[in-house]
Amino acid sequence: MKLIILDRDGVINRDSDAFVKTPDEWIPLPGSLEAIARLTQSGWTVVVATNQSGLARGLFDMDTLNAIHIKMRRELAALGGSIEAIFLCPHGPDDGCGCRKPLPGMMHDIALRLDADLAGVPAVGDSLRDLQAAAAAGCAPWLVLTGNGEKTRAKGNLPPGTRVCANLAEVADILLQDE
């Protein structure tokens, strides 16, 4: 299985310091849905792994989050792409769970549910915690410079071997070229 794991906010869609709280606030980044469509059409299994502490903070409920994801999947399907599964951490930063990135629990859950070996699986994020979770799970961390990516690169301390790309479209270009 050709598997790729994507963070959501800042990788697929615009991020917001005030959280993406409604379907109307969910706005895809230019080229991101097309990149996912190209990957799925080339046989890649695309999975999303996203921290959604807005649930724990009471900023939105599960029905609203599902509506956001329905919008994302509908817009993606219109381009011929799909997301196999969306894994999320609903906890707040101080809840002490094992699934909130930078911990690798969500990644391990993906491996278990998909019966996949994560060694070398590209995991794309825009924040250090995304890359740390990926590296801790044995994935290959990829940083995109969208969302918080520029700030993340500027701060440094990226996990060894992190690949840096301008955006998700460039990640897809590289992966599809290397096939």
Side-chain angles (χ1 to χ4, degrees), residues 73-93:
R73 285 184 144 140
R74 186 178 347 151
E75 291 190 19
L76 182 55
L79 297 169
S82 66
I83 292 171
E84 177 73 20
I86 300 170
F87 291 78
L88 63 96
C89 170
H91 306 108

Side-chain angles (χ1 to χ4, degrees), residues 120-136:
V121 166
V124 184
D126 68 319
S127 68
L128 184 59
R129 69 176 167 253
D130 300 325
L131 307 176
Q132 290 169 328

Side-chain angles (χ1 to χ4, degrees), residues 32-141:
S32 66
L33 296 180
E34 292 83 355
I36 295 169
R38 288 189 294 129
L39 288 166
T40 57
Q41 290 165 13
S42 294
W44 284 80
T45 298
V46 179
V47 174
V48 172
T50 178
N51 286 349
Q52 290 296 321
S53 68
L55 285 167
R57 298 170 199 258
L59 300 176
F60 50 84
D61 60 19
M62 201 61 210
D63 287 341
T64 302
L65 184 59
N66 285 334
I68 292 168
H69 290 157
I70 287 167
K71 177 183 178 182
M72 177 174 66
R73 285 184 144 140
R74 186 178 347 151
E75 291 190 19
L76 182 55
L79 297 169
S82 66
I83 292 171
E84 177 73 20
I86 300 170
F87 291 78
L88 63 96
C89 170
H91 306 108
D94 301 322
D95 288 349
C97 67
C99 58
R100 184 173 170 78
K101 296 182 281 183
L103 297 176
M106 201 176 341
M107 301 298 190
H108 294 312
D109 195 27
I110 290 168
L112 183 67
R113 300 244 187 124
L114 297 182
D115 193 25
D117 179 0
L118 296 184
V121 166
V124 184
D126 68 319
S127 68
L128 184 59
R129 69 176 167 253
D130 300 325
L131 307 176
Q132 290 169 328
C139 297

